């Protein structure tokens, strides 16, 4: 990505209790030579957007995601699975623990690309850098392996500067909009 264009995403942000375990995973990735290990907030991208979602759309999305946590006796939990790499058109791929949460329907105007699989991003991979995954040793499961409290928010991200042609830029600045909490879990 060599342009200064910004990208809009809607993201799922886990409760801050997950920050420590996700930080430890990013540290392992960086030690294994993954340059994008600190380049994205600890969040699960839900969709690439043309424009940020409006507050009522975010509230509706939060409700839909909570409903998704109530299926199959998951008890309101969002469970973390094995790490996976999820590509994004025109941007880096997102790498991190896969979530067992079904992707939301996202019937909102301006959704360019809804992600078919959700991962909590602990590292970015530039297109073509998938071979770097071979450098990563076996990654132990994140502990705790689930969370219930989470919020959705708009994210605007842009590269800090241009880089030479063919080089990957992993330096970004981002702004997270006002979050909307998923409704509280009730038994």
């Amino acid at each position: 990505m060599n342009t200064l264009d910004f990208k809009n995403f809607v993201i799922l942000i886990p409760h801050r209790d997950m920050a420590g375990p996700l930080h430890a995973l990013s540290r392992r990735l960086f030690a294994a030579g993954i340059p994008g290990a600190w380049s994205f907030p600890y969040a699960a991208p839900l969709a690439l957007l043309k424009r940020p979602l409006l507050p009522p759309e975010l509230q509706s999305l939060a409700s839909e995601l909570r409903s998704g946590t109530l299926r199959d006796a998951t008890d309101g939990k969002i469970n973390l699975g094995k790490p996976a790499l999820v590509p994004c058109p025109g941007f880096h791929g997102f790498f991190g623990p896969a979530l067992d949460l079904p992707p939301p329907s996202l019937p909102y105007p301006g959704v360019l690309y809804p992600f078919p699989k959700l991962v909590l991003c602990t590292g970015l991979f530039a297109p073509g850098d998938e071979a770097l995954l071979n450098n990563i040793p076996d990654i132990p499961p994140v502990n705790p392996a689930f969370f219930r409290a989470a919020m959705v928010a708009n994210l605007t991200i842009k590269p800090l500067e241009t880089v030479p042609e063919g080089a990957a830029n992993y330096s970004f600045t981002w702004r997270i909009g006002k979050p909307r909490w998923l409704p509280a879990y009730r038994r």
Side-chain angles (χ1 to χ4, degrees):
M1 185 169 148
N2 293 336
T3 67
L4 290 176
D5 292 340
F6 61 88
K7 301 284 186 194
N8 289 306
F9 293 93
V10 62
I11 56 175
L12 174 71
I13 305 167
H15 188 274
R16 66 176 176 232
D17 291 348
M18 291 300 300
L22 295 172
H23 182 83
L25 180 52
S26 285
R27 188 172 43 243
R28 282 187 71 119
L29 294 175
F30 191 75
I34 307 304
W38 305 105
S39 298
F40 198 82
Y42 297 131
L46 302 173
L48 177 64
L49 305 171
K50 185 182 290 189
R51 58 136 179 105
L53 295 184
L54 302 172
E57 294 168 333
L58 284 173
Q59 196 61 53
S60 173
L61 177 58
S63 294
E64 180 184 350
L65 289 169
R66 174 52 71 209
S67 293
T69 69
L70 302 176
R71 85 247 172 263
D72 303 328
T74 54
D75 204 24
K77 296 177 184 175
I78 300 171
N79 295 298
L80 281 64
K82 289 188 170 198
L85 179 62
V86 176
C88 177
F91 194 67
H92 298 286
F94 299 99
F95 181 80
L99 303 180
D100 70 345
L101 186 65
S105 59
L106 299 163
Y108 315 109
V111 173
L112 297 173
Y113 181 75
F115 289 96
K117 184 174 186 173
L118 306 181
V119 299
L120 271 178
C121 185
T122 54
L124 294 179
F125 281 78
D129 281 352
E130 293 83 3
L132 292 174
L133 288 171
N134 298 331
N135 297 342
I136 302 172
D138 287 337
I139 298 173
V142 174
N143 188 13
F146 70 90
F147 58 95
R148 281 192 181 96
M151 54 191 147
V152 292
N154 290 303
L155 168 76
T156 301
I157 187 169
K158 77 171 197 170
L160 287 177
E161 58 187 61
T162 59
V163 294
E165 188 63 36
N169 183 359
Y170 291 105
S171 297
F172 296 94
T173 181
W174 64 72
R175 182 178 177 279
I176 296 176
K178 182 178 178 183
R180 299 294 188 275
W181 284 98
L182 273 61
Y185 166 71
R186 296 189 198 331
R187 290 184 190 271

